[in-house]
Amino acid sequence: MVQKYKNIVIVCLMTTLIFGLAIWSWVKDADDFSDSERRVLAKFPEVSVEMLINGDFMDDFETYTQDQFPMRETFRTIKALSVKNLLNQSDKNDIYVADGYASKLEYPLSESMLDYAIGRFSFIYETFIKDTGADVYLSIIPDKNAFLAEENGYLALDYDYLIEYVKDKTPYMEYIDITGTFELSDFYRTDTHWKQEEIVETAQVILDAMGAEAPSGYTVNTLDIPFNGVYVGQSALPLKPDTIKYLTNETLDNCTVTSYDTGMPAGAHVYDMKAAEGRDPYEMFMSGSDALLVLENPAGEEGKELVVFRDSFGSSLTPLLVEGYSKVTLVDIRYMQSNFVGNFVEFGEGTDVLFIYSTMLLNNSGGLK
């Protein structure tokens, strides 16, 4: 008899839970955006005869119910903890945590992706830079896995091979080796990127190689907003937030920044405090993912210019390179077609050109235009 009542109670609880969640999912307002995953969530799909017949409605409806499920973030965290602690899976969706750092597996190496990136660089060089008198440099940033993956039993790229492969196919660039200037602790624990306050030596090595002036010092500022990096949302694990610090000095304070992201000039900032309060605080560095930014430094050497072709790692590095240049132009060919570069950027004597990209971008270069 006792067992019978136990079964009844369990059935009632499960029924209440299932129907309660179902009703909740119908009456609650749809969420527009997932802050943790940094993506737009699905909305209720359009209902039409055509979509019902071809099955698109049910596919879209399934996505909608998954995205708008009540307490979705809580259930994601419970699942992630169960996978990690109960099932002892070493990673979830290629995200793993080791030595207190979260990272995403980057493997295997794709020579076709490297060739595609090299092709974009060569096109830009041959079309716009060759014979202009500009000095051209290349630097490659090993991602966090170079210091974390293999040491903890995960598959890792052959970073030496990757770097040599790209160097050998870009003989028109002088390679600047920065691999010995940083280590694991120079990266955020919850994010892909490096910490600006830890890469001053990296910037110094680059400036020395280009024969440019280095700054005498910085003031370290701390952002009072917790930084939950991209791996917090992707892993759904309860990771402790990072802290963002940013460097300022008199030169940077007097610089002006103009964004041409839409093709028309608009004021921007070396450090965008509005972006610092947004969904991805790392985008505070040089306006994040703008296609084209021009930084003018009134204290820089007249006529000495720097053009940086970069991915997101270059956003936090570039402010550390501006000291000796009167003008610094940042170009992101993930968002600008390569054949448009000549419409916005001039190359010539007195111009240094730096191609600086992470191994993650080079190994997944399909987004370069």
Side-chain angles (χ1 to χ4, degrees), residues 16 66 112 120 128 144 146 196 226 255 278 295 306-307 310 325 349:
T16 302
Q66 292 172 350
S112 63
R120 292 291 82 202
F128 304 114
K144 191 191 300 186
Q196 187 191 51
C255 288
L295 187 151
L306 172 65
V307 179
R310 52 93 182 201
Y325 295 96
E349 295 286 347

Side-chain angles (χ1 to χ4, degrees), residues 49-316:
V49 174
E50 181 181 357
M51 291 187 66
L52 289 170
I53 293 175
N54 61 25
D56 286 345
F57 174 81
M58 291 307 300
D59 290 340
D60 292 346
F61 181 75
E62 182 179 1
T63 301
Y64 162 77
T65 56
Q66 292 172 350
D67 276 6
Q68 301 297 338
F69 195 80
M71 300 176 63
R72 179 172 177 274
E73 293 299 327
T74 300
F75 283 113
R76 288 184 70 239
T77 299
I78 292 172
K79 178 183 177 183
L81 289 172
S82 299
V83 167
K84 182 176 184 293
N85 298 324
L86 297 180
L87 302 181
N88 290 321
Q89 283 190 210
S90 59
D91 65 272
K92 178 180 181 291
N93 298 327
D94 290 338
I95 306 294
Y96 67 95
V97 179
D99 297 338
Y101 288 78
S103 190
K104 185 172 185 178
L105 295 174
E106 184 61 42
Y107 188 86
L109 186 145
S110 172
E111 290 188 359
S112 63
M113 285 287 98
L114 300 184
D115 287 337
Y116 180 76
I118 292 165
R120 292 291 82 202
F121 302 161
S122 298
F123 170 81
I124 292 170
Y125 175 78
E126 294 289 340
T127 308
F128 304 114
I129 306 176
K130 187 178 181 180
D131 299 326
T132 64
D135 295 314
V136 188
Y137 303 89
L138 168 69
S139 197
I140 296 175
I141 307 165
D143 65 84
K144 191 191 300 186
N145 289 305
F147 309 94
L148 189 67
E150 191 171 16
E151 291 83 348
N152 288 280
Y154 294 93
L155 295 172
L157 299 177
D158 185 335
Y159 290 92
D160 291 336
Y161 177 84
L162 185 157
I163 290 172
E164 289 301 319
Y165 187 94
V166 178
K167 282 173 57 179
D168 289 345
K169 295 198 173 187
T170 53
Y172 49 88
M173 300 187 193
E174 179 182 336
Y175 185 69
I176 304 174
D177 185 5
I178 59 173
T179 55
T181 65
F182 53 93
E183 56 191 4
L184 177 61
S185 61
D186 297 336
F187 291 84
Y188 295 111
R189 291 178 296 97
T190 67
D191 197 67
T192 310
H193 299 102
W194 53 17
K195 304 172 185 176
Q196 187 191 51
E197 71 274 16
E198 300 293 348
I199 57 170
V200 174
E201 181 187 354
T202 303
Q204 178 73 63
V205 169
I206 293 172
L207 290 170
D208 287 346
M210 297 192 298
E213 181 182 350
S216 57
Y218 297 100
T219 298
V220 180
N221 308 272
T222 301
L223 195 67
D224 60 359
I225 300 169
F227 177 40
N228 290 298
V230 65
Y231 296 134
V232 174
Q234 291 181 2
S235 70
L237 292 170
L239 304 174
K240 183 181 178 181
D242 280 293
T243 299
I244 287 182
K245 297 182 180 181
Y246 59 100
L247 307 180
T248 56
N249 59 17
E250 186 177 356
T251 297
L252 292 173
D253 291 341
N254 292 324
C255 288
T256 59
V257 183
T258 305
S259 169
Y260 294 87
D261 196 46
T262 63
M264 299 297 292
H269 306 278
V270 175
Y271 301 116
D272 187 343
M273 291 299 110
K274 185 176 180 180
E277 298 175 0
R279 290 163 176 161
D280 182 3
Y282 183 80
E283 291 192 347
M284 68 173 288
F285 295 104
M286 298 302 300
S287 299
S289 56
D290 270 23
L292 182 70
L293 288 166
V294 175
L295 187 151
E296 294 178 278
N297 173 20
E301 181 180 339
E302 185 66 30
K304 189 169 181 60
E305 299 185 9
L306 172 65
V307 179
V308 182
F309 289 89
R310 52 93 182 201
D311 57 18
S312 55
F313 280 79
S315 297
S316 55

